[in-house]
Amino acid sequence: MKYISTRGQSPALEFEDVVLTGLASDGGLYVPQSIPQFSKEEIASWAGLSYQELALRVMSPFVAGSIPEDDLKDLIARSYSGFRHDAIVPLVQTGHNEWILELFQGPTLAFKDVALQFLGNLLDYVLKKRNQKVVIMGATSGDTGSAAIEGCRHCDNVDIFILHPHQRVSEVQRRQMTTVIENNVHNIALEGNFDDCQTLVKQSFADQSFLPEGRQLVAVNSINWARIMAQIVYYFYAALSLGAPHRPVSFSVPTGNFGDIFAGYIAKRMGLPVEQLVIATNSNDILHRCLSDNDHSRKALQHTLSPSMDIMVSSNFERMLFDLYDRDGDKIRGLMDDFKSGAMTLDASALERARTLFSSYRLDDEGVIDVIRDVFERCEYLLDPHTAIGVAAARATRRSADVPMVCLATAHPAKFPEAVRKAGQSKDPVLPHHMADLFDREEKYSVLANDAAAVHQFIADNIRA
Ligand SMILES: *Cc1c(COP(=O)(O)O)cnc(C)c1O
């Protein structure tokens, strides 16, 4: 399988090269040249497969030509061996035909583990094969950093540097990162905010001359195609469990960078009968405004109870636009240029298509608290604030009670005790067993000034030979 850039001016790459690249050189994002299709009969024949067996079927066509099937099978087995549930992504019922898909059974209690456990193993595999070493550099406001660190802590050929804003992430989130003490893992607490972290990382990708000879930076944010690919699997898994392909299934997805829901859209393109795809946003609602009013304009970032969705601009939406505009790279370049000055407007036909594919909904913090309380009162099931937005969006936009609605649970409630407390819980949700001693573990991190030269020096000094 070859991959092409959404802006049409970079050469097509093989899967392995896409995994090791961040943005395409023309500024675009890589997408598969064609979307693999499965017939209804083939999908039906997968009923009853384990998560790992299904992952092999769904991911194989995307890595064709790069990774032999036996190797992929082995990568999948290793990636999901650390999950706390045998189903990997169990379903829980919270209402008539309403289901929660628990994507938080991985090591850091957020759905990002599903993709980043896989990406870590994949990088290790590709790099060993090529006898190459790389440096991962990323900025995090919380969840991505810990999931990336957990994914890469055992990678021999990866040194990972994660920047977080000093004293501005929650204690659980910080400790999930800083208590990993392997010598290829480096946490940098930057004296600045999340934007400063992100700016510094972007600047470093643009000029990598601070790295030793032969090393390059690899991106682990959701612009990395391998993350999207690994997320397609759970749409198939949940839908098959609920009767697909013999009946359709709908999904509601707490959305930030549009990576997760984009995987759902790809699943649909591959032949999965998906009835509704609901984009659930918090007050940072650029996607909801785009779909409802054709208003895709930047607004000031708001800090909410669902911090992992506090995103001004959804980077993966560009991949969606590429398809909405019939894969016309010139059009996408034009749109993205418009957007640089603050806003873009979709063509009538692209907007119409987007509205056919997606529903959307926005929920503010007050609404989040109401939903957490309501679901707890009715079924004694505790939602985290991100998942709560998905549940509210599902209920508000649902077109048919006959079609199962799956709400993606993107984090464990114990990660976000503040919201849970506000919803009237007298006790904080309990951390799962493997993390029970989190607050007693030793931490390792370095506080650095918000200064590129200082950070680059630190990285150069700490890369293993
Ligand atoms: C990252 C994250 C999201 C948003 O996912 P996207 O793929 O960026 O849309 C939602 N909820 C939680 C808990 C997350 O960590």
Side-chain angles (χ1 to χ4, degrees), residues 110-112 143 254-260 308-309 311 384 386 410-411:
F111 92 101
K112 292 187 170 69
D143 288 344
T255 295
N257 261 325
F258 205 77
D260 199 359
S308 301
M309 291 158 64
I311 280 163
D384 98 285
H386 305 81
T410 50

Side-chain angles (χ1 to χ4, degrees), residues 109-112 142-144 222 227-228 231 234 253-262 287 306-309 311 314 316 384 386-387 409-412 415-416:
L109 314 183
F111 92 101
K112 292 187 170 69
D143 288 344
T144 305
S222 60
R227 281 186 57 179
I228 309 264
Q231 291 170 198
Y234 50 69
V253 188
T255 295
N257 261 325
F258 205 77
D260 199 359
I261 195 162
F262 187 72
L287 293 170
S306 46
S308 301
M309 291 158 64
I311 280 163
S314 304
N316 277 293
D384 98 285
H386 305 81
T387 308
T410 50
H412 189 290
K415 267 195 119 160
F416 300 96

Side-chain angles (χ1 to χ4, degrees), residues 18-52:
V18 165
V19 173
L20 296 178
T21 314
L23 289 176
S25 53
D26 58 10
L29 280 75
Y30 280 104
V31 291
Q33 194 155 39
S34 62
I35 304 297
Q37 308 278 317
F38 297 118
S39 67
K40 187 174 174 187
E41 292 68 36
E42 192 166 10
I43 295 172
S45 76
W46 297 342
L49 291 188
S50 70
Y51 188 87
Q52 291 87 336

Side-chain angles (χ1 to χ4, degrees), residues 116-271:
L116 282 162
Q117 285 290 304
F118 178 76
L119 181 59
N121 286 305
L122 177 67
L123 284 173
D124 207 32
Y125 166 85
V126 170
L127 293 169
K128 279 187 176 144
K129 200 161 76 172
R130 297 179 166 211
N131 195 19
Q132 189 183 342
K133 292 184 171 168
V134 299
V135 176
I136 287 176
M137 193 176 173
T140 190
S141 53
D143 288 344
T144 305
S146 55
I149 287 171
E150 279 296 337
C152 297
R153 63 192 293 181
H154 300 304
C155 296
D156 295 326
N157 295 12
V158 174
D159 291 294
I160 177 166
F161 296 83
I162 298 293
L163 283 68
H164 70 264
H166 187 39
Q167 293 175 336
R168 294 188 201 197
V169 298
S170 78
E171 187 166 9
V172 173
Q173 288 180 322
R174 188 191 72 237
R175 285 183 162 273
Q176 281 189 318
M177 299 191 280
T178 58
T179 56
V180 177
I181 50 162
E182 269 85 0
N183 65 358
N184 67 326
V185 173
H186 300 278
N187 282 288
I188 298 173
L190 196 77
E191 289 177 320
N193 58 27
F194 174 61
D195 277 343
D196 297 324
C197 296
Q198 224 171 9
T199 304
L200 211 154
V201 170
K202 273 193 190 150
Q203 187 186 339
S204 308
F205 270 83
D207 178 3
Q208 306 188 9
S209 57
F210 65 96
L211 294 174
E213 184 78 22
R215 301 286 168 103
Q216 70 184 64
L217 291 180
V218 167
V220 289
N221 54 10
S222 60
I223 64 168
N224 193 315
W225 169 258
R227 281 186 57 179
I228 309 264
M229 178 181 83
Q231 291 170 198
I232 299 167
V233 178
Y234 50 69
Y235 287 90
F236 276 91
Y237 187 76
L240 278 158
S241 300
L242 295 171
H246 306 295
R247 64 170 178 172
V249 175
S250 295
F251 292 92
S252 179
V253 188
T255 295
N257 261 325
F258 205 77
D260 199 359
I261 195 162
F262 187 72
Y265 158 76
I266 297 288
K268 179 171 180 160
R269 291 275 313 273
M270 292 170 80

